[in-house]
Amino acid sequence: MNRIISKKELNPTVTLMVIEAPLIAKKAEPGQFIIIRSHEDAERIPLTVSDFDREAGTVTIIFQIVGAATMRLNTLREGEFVESFAGPLGKATHTEGLKKVAVVGGGVGCAIAYPVAKKLFEQGAEVHSIAGFRSKDLVILEDEFRAHSAKFFPMSDDGSWGEKGLVTDALRKLIESGEQYDEVITIGPLIMMKFVCMLTKEYGVRTIASMNPIMIDGTGMCGCCRLTVGGKTRFACVEGPEFDGHEIDFDEAMSRSRMYADFEKREREETCNLLKAAEGGNA
Amino acid sequence: MAAREPKKHEMPTQKPEVRAHNFNEVALGYTAEIAASEAQRCLGCKNKPCMQGCPVNIDIPEFISHIKQNDIEGAYDVITKSSSLPAVCGRVCPQESQCEHECTLAVKLNMEPVGIGRLERFVADTHRLNKTGETVRPEPNGHRVAVVGSGPSGLTCAGDLAKKGYAVTVYEALHTAGGVLVYGIPEFRLPKSIVADEVNTLKELGVEIVTDVVIGRTLTIDELFEQGFEAVFIGSGAGLPNFMNIPGESLNGVYSANEFLTRSNLMKAYSDSSRTPIMKGGNVAVVGGGNVAMDAARTALRLGAEKVYIIYRRSMEEMPARKEEVEHAMEEGIDFRILCNPAEILGYRNPDNPRDPKNGFVRAIRCVRMELGEPDERGRRSPHEIPGSEFELDTDTVIMAIGTSPNPLIKSTTKGLEVNRRGGIIVNENGLTTRENVYAGGDAVTGAATVISAMGAGKTAAKAIDEALGSK
């Protein structure tokens, strides 16, 4: 049981929670994730650590309300407890020796991209951050990115925030203008990461993608999170979640991410109705 | 004296056609009358050969003699001197190759052995039902031991040490204690309430159980020593599931047995109120011939599969699963396709509609028939493919139950802890690893094996830890 120290709505579908977890806060590094279970009968879901405070003993998570599990997590209030909070799991982002890096985040993936940018920035690397959102009202962590990047490139699908276009448009422009990156680190929807990796492969820029497959235990027991990297089966929970983006079979990963799409849709609707009924009852 | 009954008293079970559709326990357990009558079959041999066959050395003739005198609590006390999990062992031990295999009735008199496992279960269940009063906590001896993993080896090690007065803390990575007893073995073979009771008995002895802590990540072995633990036992269990490396294993609908069983058992996907998805219905092919394969096949059947196949590359004789499990599976209608090996898993792809929701899901498994060659030096006949014998089975779900490889987490974060070629932690005969005061046992050492052998390893390590620390 871990206490929710604070909770903040970043936009209508994205919530930030600061969770009391001193042991995890002591160890967590950017790129790692935790397994959270909001209620006794809730699913175990992996969420990447978006920040941590070693002294205060807290870990920050940012999640998008996409399904039943995140919907129920979002019903919890400050001062209440999540049932399970285990980690930090997975391998930390490799940042050593990197001098100049482009960090490319998309949507709620920016919540994971941010701590990576921050760590690189604090290590003295030249960080170019590209953040993409559908529109202005979905933007998160803008100030944080600006404060930890040498250059910041906001992109939106509809042009309501920053420049109109995709993150790949911004990245292509930078590479073509002669920017030479030691590495590109990309975190966001699978389809976005796929196109970022296709682009950087074209230019021969090493690229790391942070994967977020379906997991159960998250500790290297069930094999649910497997993906194909360089023709080999790899397990995101213990060998990842970050892999060489040029080697990942993204099409397979996208197909696997849809395995329970029907079930998830039903669950989401049911949970939504239940929560609405509960709210109605309280009113 | 009346002639000795040559056969074991049968275990009352749910009828196959009924149990194939529910998750209630298959075997119902002996009644007091049956148990008393079965106990009478025991010769009470002075040399106790059955005891030699027991990995945790339960004084079997002694506990059975208590049943003969209708002193079930007395029998329970005898068993728990040696076993911390009697209700579990009575259910899942392969008695036919252990204690019962050595029984004089079978060895010398050509009869069926005494139903030792069934009697053990009867004693444990009777105790559970009639339990009164608190377990007496032993006097603390001032020593602290950490146990990593709450599966059979960890719980046994913790129980044995707690009984000697050690302050034991068990760390579990998942949210429920029990390890494979909870996530792996299905409800119909080992009800989870029984595991919870056994865990509670340990808590009453003073064992502290900490869930949601991943040793190797949340805390390292070195940090456990810094916290004041004087010895650590690693019983972290089997690790990553093996796959066959054949085409199609990443299709939707392909599970490792660990995943399939974890979804059903730990996450309760079998219950209507569960929030955990699992593929139900259709045709299911389980690859493998061990107990885990049987558990997966029978779980799939109960979840509503129309047809369940076991695909195994050797013959029935070589099948490593317990005989009773294979028999139960057959009675329930599992279709055994022996001397067959999968070559490829075939997926569905609609060429006209890339958005067809069935795209990327399994549609069939292509297998090749096998024949057994001459026995090798170990006497095991290795299977060979019969050229041109390939065939397809229509299937929606494929479950790979072909073993696991040890989890790399602890090894990679513990300096000086050596592992063998297969990744198993290296230990000496006392369970001591290559690190001082660090012991290990169970699947983390041996790779996938049985519950009772893991318990035996936990017991051995507990004894060694007591010898090392007790004198301090």
Side-chain angles (χ1 to χ4, degrees), chain A residues 250-262:
Chain A
F250 279 105
D251 292 338
E252 179 189 284
M254 282 187 267
S255 176
R256 284 184 66 76
S257 73
R258 287 191 293 266
M259 179 150 169
Y260 298 110
D262 279 355

Side-chain angles (χ1 to χ4, degrees), chain B residues 303-323:
Chain B
L303 286 170
E306 284 153 38
K307 182 95 194 155
V308 182
Y309 303 101
I310 288 269
I311 299 176
Y312 179 58
R313 63 192 183 132
R314 292 184 160 96
S315 72
M316 294 306 284
E317 248 167 72
E318 287 84 14
M319 206 168 264
R322 279 184 72 191
K323 210 172 132 227

Side-chain angles (χ1 to χ4, degrees), chain B residues 173-404:
Chain B
L174 296 174
H175 57 264
T176 308
V180 73
L181 307 175
V182 167
Y183 76 73
I185 301 177
E187 180 77 16
F188 57 82
R189 211 147 72 75
L190 178 62
K192 299 312 143 210
S193 58
I194 285 174
V195 181
D197 274 355
E198 302 265 38
V199 169
N200 276 334
T201 306
L202 293 184
K203 285 185 184 163
E204 285 170 16
L205 279 172
V207 174
E208 190 191 357
I209 299 197
V210 183
T211 53
D212 291 319
V213 169
V214 187
I215 300 299
R217 286 282 183 235
T218 320
L219 290 169
T220 61
I221 301 282
D222 291 298
E223 285 169 318
L224 293 176
F225 284 110
E226 283 164 26
Q227 287 189 6
F229 290 106
E230 296 155 86
V232 176
F233 174 78
I234 304 171
S236 52
L240 294 164
N242 294 339
F243 288 90
M244 292 185 72
N245 296 317
I246 56 172
E249 282 182 303
S250 292
L251 288 164
N252 290 342
V254 182
Y255 290 96
S256 74
N258 269 6
E259 180 187 350
F260 190 76
L261 291 170
T262 299
R263 283 180 183 274
S264 182
N265 300 333
L266 176 72
M267 303 308 293
K268 311 256 176 277
Y270 68 84
S271 107
D272 287 338
S273 61
S274 172
R275 310 256 169 183
T276 300
I278 195 163
M279 284 185 59
K280 297 179 188 179
N283 292 353
V284 180
V286 179
V287 181
N291 287 324
V292 175
M294 301 305 135
D295 284 346
R298 298 170 71 197
T299 297
L301 186 73
R302 284 160 173 76
L303 286 170
E306 284 153 38
K307 182 95 194 155
V308 182
Y309 303 101
I310 288 269
I311 299 176
Y312 179 58
R313 63 192 183 132
R314 292 184 160 96
S315 72
M316 294 306 284
E317 248 167 72
E318 287 84 14
M319 206 168 264
R322 279 184 72 191
K323 210 172 132 227
E324 185 181 281
E325 304 307 324
V326 174
E327 282 168 8
H328 279 163
M330 284 183 152
E331 287 166 11
E332 290 166 14
I334 307 285
D335 186 345
F336 283 70
R337 300 297 179 104
I338 53 162
L339 291 166
C340 283
N341 206 29
E344 182 178 5
I345 303 166
L346 304 163
Y348 184 85
R349 183 153 304 280
N350 183 342
D352 304 320
N353 181 8
R355 290 185 177 273
D356 188 325
K358 282 195 287 184
N359 284 345
F361 279 79
V362 173
R363 71 167 175 83
I365 184 164
R366 194 161 55 81
C367 300
V368 58
R369 291 190 201 285
M370 311 293 279
E371 59 187 351
L372 293 179
E374 290 302 308
D376 60 16
E377 61 275 15
R378 279 158 53 214
R380 205 162 149 159
R381 300 175 65 191
S382 60
H384 301 285
E385 290 185 6
I386 302 175
S389 67
E390 298 191 352
F391 66 100
E392 279 180 22
L393 287 174
D394 285 346
T395 173
D396 306 276
T397 302
V398 174
I399 301 167
M400 291 292 176
I402 52 170
T404 56

Side-chain angles (χ1 to χ4, degrees), chain A residues 129-146:
Chain A
S129 296
I130 305 171
F133 294 93
R134 282 209 308 279
S135 64
K136 190 175 193 316
D137 51 338
L138 298 176
V139 172
I140 56 169
L141 301 173
E142 178 175 355
D143 296 342
E144 286 84 348
F145 268 111
R146 285 190 190 279

